[in-house]
Amino acid sequence: MKNKILAIIPARGGSKRIPKKNIKSFFGREIITYSIEAAVKSEIFQKIIVSTDCNEIKSVALTAGAEVPFLRSETNSDDFATTFDVIKEVLAEVGEQFDYVCCIYPTSVFVSPEVLVDAYSKLNKNESATSIASVLQYSHPIQRSLTIDSEYLVSNHPEYYNSRSQDLEVNYHDAGQFYICRTVAVLEEERLITSRCIPYVLQDNHAQDIDTLEDWSIAELKYQLLVRK
């Protein structure tokens, strides 16, 4: 039997650092439409739901091909609600059972249908894994990280101070692009990166977390470089 997969795109209206971020124009169209388009073209989702508290975002999402069956609750529309809170609310409201749930962030302009299909396939084939998350490799060894203590720089890991970079363990961070989870696991653990989460490693030029206007400018530069290839 074919698995049922639900895509959820959380898109709150109250972005403060970039006003109306989720529907701000990115190369001629609202940025959220990139995520919706990738989800639609992947053809792996039975439903693509945008969770929002904003009627303007709802209108854009519906035009782009997503569903907005209800507006997000006030409780999950403030600065303290987590992505898991939003996913849990949608799963409770949607009224159907899904084998997998996929969260795609609304500013994921680099996510592609091919990546979503490939990531789902990797998770589905790995019976012990309960989720897969997009990640990026740190560009600099975190073992060489520094902090400031009483105005002076201090090594966080002095034991590695004289180690060669190539001898240090590689580390990764959340790319802020997408997660795919087995629904039972994400509800049990109440987090999207579950205890048995496998990585989907992206190239650095295929992801950009957008929280500030500087991030937005970097995303535009990366996107232009990809389009020119």
Side-chain angles (χ1 to χ4, degrees):
M1 183 180 295
K2 185 179 180 181
N3 287 316
K4 288 185 67 177
I5 317 173
L6 170 65
I8 301 174
I9 301 173
R12 190 165 68 99
S15 176
K16 293 182 174 60
R17 285 178 287 186
I18 305 178
K20 295 187 175 184
K21 178 177 75 171
N22 294 324
I23 49 174
K24 181 178 168 65
S25 179
F26 187 88
F27 290 103
R29 60 189 174 103
E30 296 91 345
I31 195 165
I32 193 175
T33 64
Y34 290 80
S35 297
I36 296 173
E37 181 180 84
V40 170
K41 288 186 174 178
S42 72
E43 298 183 340
I44 59 173
F45 303 111
Q46 280 67 49
K47 281 184 182 292
I48 301 164
I49 291 179
V50 169
S51 169
T52 185
D53 57 334
C54 171
N55 281 313
E56 198 172 356
I57 293 175
K58 175 181 177 180
S59 177
V60 172
L62 291 173
T63 302
E67 299 179 39
V68 188
F70 57 89
L71 288 178
R72 189 187 301 187
S73 66
E74 287 186 21
T75 304
N76 286 330
S77 298
D78 61 21
D79 293 336
F80 303 101
T82 66
T83 302
F84 171 75
D85 293 331
V86 175
I87 300 303
K88 183 179 179 182
E89 180 179 79
V90 174
L91 287 170
E93 292 284 347
V94 74
E96 294 180 46
Q97 299 296 315
F98 288 88
D99 302 294
Y100 292 87
V101 59
C102 173
C103 171
I104 309 170
Y105 282 117
T107 57
S108 298
V109 294
F110 299 99
V111 73
S112 69
E114 294 78 15
V115 164
L116 293 172
V117 171
D118 190 40
Y120 164 66
S121 177
K122 283 181 165 57
L123 175 59
N124 193 42
K125 289 177 182 174
N126 189 329
E127 295 183 357
S128 65
T130 53
S131 65
I132 186 167
S134 57
V135 296
L136 291 167
Q137 181 180 329
Y138 277 99
S139 59
H140 189 80
I142 62 172
Q143 296 89 341
R144 296 265 177 80
S145 67
L146 303 169
T147 191
I148 299 175
D149 183 8
S150 301
E151 79 177 308
Y152 299 113
L153 287 173
V154 177
S155 172
N156 287 319
H157 303 282
E159 67 274 26
Y160 297 118
Y161 191 81
N162 290 316
S163 299
R164 301 184 310 165
S165 296
Q166 57 267 42
D167 294 333
L168 297 174
E169 186 178 55
V170 174
N171 288 272
Y172 301 87
H173 63 86
D174 188 342
Q177 192 173 101
F178 70 87
Y179 318 85
I180 305 176
C181 312
R182 298 186 194 273
T183 306
V184 171
V186 74
L187 289 175
E188 282 182 354
E189 298 192 32
E190 300 191 345
R191 56 182 182 176
L192 299 176
I193 297 181
T194 59
S195 57
R196 286 182 289 164
C197 181
I198 56 176
Y200 195 89
V201 182
L202 300 171
Q203 296 177 28
D204 188 56
N205 61 340
H206 287 194
Q208 179 62 44
D209 199 12
I210 301 177
D211 288 322
T212 65
L213 288 172
E214 289 76 17
D215 295 333
W216 189 283
S217 297
I218 293 169
E220 288 179 328
L221 290 171
K222 287 184 176 181
Y223 194 83
Q224 285 178 311
L225 288 172
L226 281 177
V227 169
R228 287 176 181 171
K229 279 186 177 179

